[in-house]
Amino acid sequence: MSARFADAFWPPADELAEAAERIRARLGDWPGGAAPWRLCVAVPDLPADGDVLIVSAGDRAAQARASAASRPAAPGAVAIEFDEQGAVLHTAGARYALDAAHPLGDDWIAALAAFLDCGFAPIDALVLALAWRDGDETRAADAWPVDAARFPRVAGLPAAPEPAFASCPAQLGLYPVVPGAEWVERVLDCGVRTVQLRVKGATPDTLRREIARAVAAGRRYPDARVFINDHWQIAAEAGAYGVHLGQEDLETADLAAIARAGLRLGLSSHGYYEMLRALHERPSYLALGPVYATATKAVAAPPQGLARITRYARFAGTQAPLVAIGGVGLDALPAVLATGVGSVAVVSAVTGATDYRAAIAALQQCFPGQFDNH
């Protein structure tokens, strides 16, 4: 009986615990989560926070019990409804549906326990579990799922925009995110060629002026790539190179209009599920983060750390150019680049520097040969 997974299943399930132990042994060292999860393959009478209630899509009685038990009695519990073709994860405030790329095998529940033990949130652990295949722990030198063809798809999404978004270079290099058009001019003058304008709290007139000025600055440098954060309509009107949107914007932005306008699209992601959601749209680049804790922007996701960013890059790097973001300064930059991303976004490392020109010059030294890439 596995000591690590002795209490991971309810009712106790020796075979599942042993399979989870075999899989977990191939996944490497991870810090684990703040609290252990308990996978309930039968619905307990009194679910607790941290319970993952797993029910078959054909078991209507169990579904009803799981739904009633997980909300509101234990708001920290989640329920997973599954069949051979995929799974749906229910939380107190959200529903995540995934279509599996292949019929679910016997080990997906054990794999789910193993990835939860690595500290992943339930939805990201579920994505990885659905990408797992029975016996993976015995076949590869590195058993971690990376083949995009084996990963599930987010169910129910409309087709990606046509035409597709314009492409970006694979190596975007140093990518400052700055609060005003004057900063855009400053960093371009220092030789930076990828920059994002992120204006917060401005009046509509001021916002339009800032975006127009930033776009005009980019036109003075033929190889400049000026992205506008959030305000895609104004960016399109101004003829910007591209826009950057968060996951929440995917529900409201007219992605087809952005594509028709010829704008490049960068999308944020904070884990495997959000990567799947973003990559469905075939963005011009994908942002991964936050790498470290940051005070420059409120982000609900916890710091991902280098180990996760490395895994994300191995999965997503063949599908889109990658940008790491979040709390990265000069000291950490080489290690972040070593994860496999082609660009790193920085904020306070430039805008908070005593001498921004010297700071940019030092940061640029970590990107040899990338500044003429356009």
Side-chain angles (χ1 to χ4, degrees):
M1 178 67 177
S2 164
R4 182 195 294 264
F5 293 98
D7 299 319
F9 297 94
W10 189 92
D14 289 357
E15 289 187 7
L16 280 174
E18 290 167 2
E21 182 66 47
R22 289 195 302 272
I23 295 169
R24 180 65 183 84
R26 296 300 313 282
L27 300 182
D29 294 330
W30 293 86
W37 293 90
R38 182 177 71 157
L39 278 66
C40 301
V41 294
V43 181
D45 292 331
L46 294 173
D49 288 347
D51 279 354
V52 180
L53 314 177
I54 300 175
V55 297
S56 168
D59 190 341
R60 299 302 177 189
Q63 287 178 39
R65 290 183 64 205
S67 177
S70 63
R71 302 186 296 272
V78 301
I80 297 175
E81 177 186 351
F82 75 95
D83 60 22
E84 189 180 54
Q85 304 305 315
V88 181
L89 185 144
H90 303 268
T91 71
R95 175 183 183 275
Y96 306 92
L98 295 166
D99 291 332
H102 55 85
L104 298 191
D106 295 331
D107 280 355
W108 79 269
I109 295 176
L112 176 64
F115 288 115
L116 286 170
D117 188 71
C118 292
F120 286 90
I123 184 55
D124 291 327
L126 180 60
V127 168
L128 288 163
L130 296 187
W132 189 265
R133 293 188 180 178
D134 293 352
D136 273 359
E137 71 276 13
T138 67
R139 295 191 184 113
D142 183 352
W144 198 277
V146 294
D147 183 356
R150 293 173 53 169
F151 273 71
R153 298 177 301 277
V154 178
L157 296 178
E162 291 288 353
F165 295 102
S167 63
C168 282
Q171 308 286 333
L172 287 169
L174 180 65
Y175 187 172
V177 179
V178 299
E182 184 176 357
W183 271 107
V184 173
E185 295 167 344
R186 290 174 179 173
V187 300
L188 291 175
D189 187 56
C190 289
V192 170
R193 288 299 174 261
T194 307
V195 60
Q196 181 184 137
L197 175 68
R198 185 165 71 192
V199 178
K200 299 297 182 184
T203 65
D205 287 345
T206 298
L207 180 62
R208 287 183 178 277
R209 286 196 299 270
E210 287 289 295
I211 291 175
R213 180 176 171 182
V215 171
R219 292 192 179 122
R220 293 196 289 271
Y221 301 87
D223 52 350
R225 299 176 284 268
V226 177
F227 287 88
I228 307 301
N229 183 273
D230 286 351
H231 304 285
W232 63 268
Q233 299 100 323
I234 304 174
E237 293 169 5
Y241 178 87
V243 294
H244 181 93
L245 300 179
Q247 288 277 319
E248 66 281 1
D249 300 312
L250 290 173
E251 305 305 320
T252 58
D254 188 340
L255 299 183
I258 295 171
R260 287 194 301 270
L263 274 67
R264 282 79 175 169
L265 175 67
L267 290 175
S268 296
S269 68
H270 310 93
Y272 278 101
Y273 178 84
E274 291 192 358
M275 283 192 286
L276 292 180
R277 176 66 185 89
L279 289 169
H280 170 80
E281 308 297 346
R282 298 178 298 174
S284 307
Y285 75 77
L286 180 68
L288 312 174
V291 184
Y292 304 113
T294 175
T296 58
K297 183 180 180 182
V299 179
Q304 301 298 294
L306 294 177
R308 290 195 188 192
I309 297 297
T310 299
R311 289 297 180 184
Y312 298 163
R314 291 180 185 175
F315 163 65
T318 59
Q319 303 176 69
L322 302 180
V323 178
I325 186 170
V328 182
L330 178 61
D331 290 345
L333 185 53
V336 175
L337 284 170
T339 65
V341 298
S343 175
V344 178
V346 296
V347 185
S348 58
V350 169
T351 60
T354 303
D355 182 343
Y356 73 87
R357 292 182 181 275
I360 288 173
L363 291 163
Q364 284 176 328
Q365 293 302 311
C366 298
F367 296 88
Q370 291 192 16
F371 298 106
D372 294 326
N373 191 3
H374 59 279

